[in-house]
Amino acid sequence: MISGPSCTDNVLQGNIVGAAADGGSPVPNHGYGLWLESATRRNTIGGTSPGAGNRIQFNTGVGILIGNFSSGSVESGNSILSNSIVANGGLGIDIGSDGVTPNDPGDADTGPNAGQNFPSDLSVIPVGGGSVVAGSLRSSPNAPFTIQLFSNASCDASGYGEGEVFLGSAATTTDALGRSQFSISVPQVPPDRRVTGTATDALGNTSEFSACSPLATSFYTITPCRLADTRLGTGPQGGPALIANSDRTFPIAGSCGIPATARSVAFNFTVTQPSYPGHLTIYPAGTPLPLASTLNYGIDQTRANNAVVALGSLGDVSVYCGQTTGMTHFIIDAVGYFE
C-alpha cells in the first residue's frame, strides 16, 4: 500500500507482487496486489527503462487499485507503465474500486487519476513479421498522451484487459475536440492473443486497461483497383499533384469494394514525375505523422512500393510529401483489405 498525501514521488520497479521469485509459483496477496490511496500523488509503478516493469500476478483481488470513490480523497499523477499484470482476481487496474470506469466525453470527470479515459477501437493487423495496432483515444483536447499496449492469453470476465506482456508504446496528441487516432508497430501478436492498452496523460495519470481486441486475421482480396491518380482532373481522388512539405488526405473506404468496416488496406503506391528528390509518408488520417517514410524517390523517377496501412476513423489515409520544393504526381492502387 502507498498511502497518504505525504507519500509522493515513490518509484516501484523490477518487483514481483503475488508470485515467488521464479515468477510462476503463486504467493498471492489476499486482496489487492497494490493499493494507492488517501490522496497519494506522483508515484510511478514500473517505468520506461529496460527491466523497470513489475510483475503483479495471482493476487486475489484487483492487480492495482488507485483510490476509492467512497473515501472522497483524490489520488493523482500515478503512472502505471510497462508492467506485467496478469491472472489477478479482479481488473488489472481499477480506478476508484468500482469495476470498469467507462470513458466519458471530453474526459471531463474527476476522481482518482483524473478518471483518465482508456484507448478504444483497438485493431490488431498482421504486417510482415510483426503487427500494427491501430486505435483511438478520446480525452482532453490539445493534449499529449502516452499509449501503452499489451497482449494477453485471456482477458478479465468483464471483457477488459489485464496486461500480461508489454508490447510497446508511442506518443499521441489529441486535436481541439479531444480526438486522436494512433497506429503503433509492435512485435508479432499470435492469433490466439488479445490486445489491450492504457493511456497516460502529461501529468502521469494512467487509465484502466481498455477492452480486449482480437487479432484481425481476415484478409479479403479485391480485383486490383485504382483509388486515386493525381494526373487526372481535380477532385478527392484526382488532381492536383502533391505539393512539397504538405499533407493531403485521400478517401479510401467506400471505393473499389473496400467497406466502411475495413481496418487497413493492402496498397501499391506509385510516385511519378517528381520535380525534386524526396519521400512520401503515408499513414492513417488523423494520427501524428510517423518518422519513417513509405516511399523514397529521385528527381523525375517513377517508383512504387507495397504497404499495408491502417485507415483513419473516416476510412482515409494521409500522404505527406517531403520535398524541398516543387510537386509530384501520386497513384494509389489497392489489392485487398483487413477487417
Side-chain angles (χ1 to χ4, degrees):
M1 177 183 292
I2 300 175
S3 176
S6 63
C7 196
T8 62
D9 299 306
N10 295 286
V11 178
L12 184 67
Q13 296 182 336
N15 294 278
I16 299 175
V17 180
D22 62 9
S25 303
V27 187
N29 288 330
H30 292 285
Y32 315 121
L34 294 171
W35 186 10
L36 286 70
E37 58 102 37
S38 297
T40 186
R41 297 170 290 124
R42 300 192 309 270
N43 298 288
T44 301
I45 310 302
T48 57
S49 59
N54 303 282
R55 187 171 186 84
I56 302 168
Q57 185 176 17
F58 302 135
N59 301 287
T60 61
V62 169
I64 298 177
L65 175 63
I66 304 175
N68 185 327
F69 281 119
S70 64
S71 71
S73 64
V74 178
E75 296 72 24
S76 63
N78 297 294
S79 301
I80 315 297
L81 299 170
S82 312
N83 301 284
S84 175
I85 305 175
V86 61
N88 296 287
L91 293 175
I93 301 171
D94 187 358
I95 293 177
S97 69
D98 60 346
V100 176
T101 303
N103 285 345
D104 62 303
D107 214 350
D109 58 346
T110 58
N113 262 22
Q116 174 59 50
N117 283 357
F118 46 74
S120 59
D121 306 318
L122 295 185
S123 175
V124 189
I125 305 154
V127 178
S131 299
V132 171
V133 180
S136 63
L137 178 66
R138 301 293 184 268
S139 191
S140 305
N142 300 315
F145 295 87
T146 298
I147 304 296
Q148 289 209 318
L149 300 171
F150 304 80
S151 72
N152 301 271
S154 61
C155 297
D156 183 75
S158 65
Y160 287 71
E162 294 193 277
E164 183 179 359
V165 178
F166 173 59
L167 294 174
S169 63
T172 190
T173 300
T174 54
D175 63 16
L177 297 177
R179 305 170 304 183
S180 172
Q181 301 287 323
F182 56 83
S183 181
I184 303 173
S185 296
V186 299
Q188 187 174 55
V189 180
D192 59 345
R193 305 284 291 186
R194 299 292 182 265
V195 171
T196 58
T198 61
T200 302
D201 69 13
L203 297 177
N205 295 297
T206 297
S207 70
E208 296 177 347
F209 286 106
S210 70
C212 287
S213 296
L215 184 67
T217 56
S218 297
F219 178 73
Y220 301 90
T221 59
I222 60 173
T223 301
C225 181
R226 182 142 297 177
L227 287 159
D229 188 339
T230 63
R231 299 171 300 178
L232 304 178
T234 300
Q237 295 170 307
L242 302 181
I243 300 172
N245 302 313
S246 64
D247 291 272
R248 181 175 170 188
T249 296
F250 291 88
I252 301 298
S255 300
C256 291
I258 299 170
T261 52
R263 297 286 190 171
S264 63
V265 174
F267 291 105
N268 184 65
F269 299 115
T270 303
V271 63
T272 189
Q273 303 171 30
S275 60
Y276 207 83
H279 68 274
L280 300 182
T281 301
I282 304 159
Y283 59 102
T287 68
L289 177 69
L291 296 177
S293 63
T294 309
L295 181 58
N296 300 282
Y297 51 85
I299 187 170
D300 210 28
Q301 278 189 325
T302 296
R303 298 200 64 185
N305 190 31
N306 296 314
V308 175
V309 179
L311 301 182
S313 60
L314 299 179
D316 44 9
V317 297
S318 289
V319 183
Y320 174 76
C321 179
Q323 289 184 201
T324 302
T325 188
M327 56 185 61
T328 186
H329 282 294
F330 179 58
I331 302 163
I332 305 176
D333 296 305
V335 297
Y337 62 91
F338 290 93
E339 190 177 31

